[in-house]
């Protein structure tokens, strides 16, 4: 009886699941040596400017998020960026 009830609950929960293919999430990736607070502020500014310049498209964005790239210090971040640029296209 418990198995039947569990299968029923799963079926009901999937029937109410909705996927809206017209709505997106936007992820802002910060640059080198950017503190988290500055990255969050930049995301807010970009979202605000996008809303003003593209109001029709803005309504199709569900979430604005920061994909934060932690810094290891300016020197190490620049070194990693140079390695990535050097190795680009060799994969």
């Amino acid at each position: 009886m418990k198995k039947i009830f569990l299968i029923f609950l799963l079926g009901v929960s999937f029937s109410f699941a909705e996927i809206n293919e017209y709505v997106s999430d936007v992820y802002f990736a910060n640059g080198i040596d950017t503190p988290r607070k500055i990255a969050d502020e930049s995301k807010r500014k970009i979202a605000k400017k996008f809303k003003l310049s593209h109001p029709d498209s803005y309504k199709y964005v569900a979430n604005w998020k920061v994909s934060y790239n932690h810094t290891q210090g300016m020197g190490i971040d620049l070194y990693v960026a140079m390695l990535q640029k050097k190795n680009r296209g060799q994969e």
Side-chain angles (χ1 to χ4, degrees):
M1 185 67 175
K2 289 181 182 180
K3 289 181 183 180
I4 294 172
F5 183 68
L6 181 61
I7 291 171
F8 173 74
L9 284 178
L10 285 173
V12 169
S13 66
F14 286 127
S15 67
F16 288 110
E18 179 183 338
I19 297 175
N20 188 342
E21 295 178 4
Y22 299 104
V23 177
S24 299
D25 290 339
V26 174
Y27 290 86
F28 167 74
N30 60 293
I32 291 176
D33 198 31
T34 305
R36 179 66 191 229
K37 186 176 180 179
I38 302 295
D40 289 332
E41 180 66 27
S42 296
K43 177 210 48 158
R44 282 191 291 279
K45 288 179 182 179
I46 290 170
K48 184 177 179 180
K49 286 182 180 181
F50 187 79
K51 183 178 183 178
L52 293 173
S53 63
H54 300 88
D56 292 336
S57 298
Y58 182 82
K59 63 184 173 186
Y60 293 110
V61 177
N63 295 303
W64 292 81
K65 299 179 181 180
V66 173
S67 178
Y68 188 70
N69 182 16
H70 293 277
T71 186
Q72 303 299 321
M74 180 67 93
I76 294 173
D77 287 352
L78 287 173
Y79 176 71
V80 170
M82 285 186 342
L83 285 177
Q84 290 172 347
K85 184 159 179 72
K86 180 182 172 233
N87 295 329
R88 193 174 79 198
Q90 295 180 7
E91 298 170 356

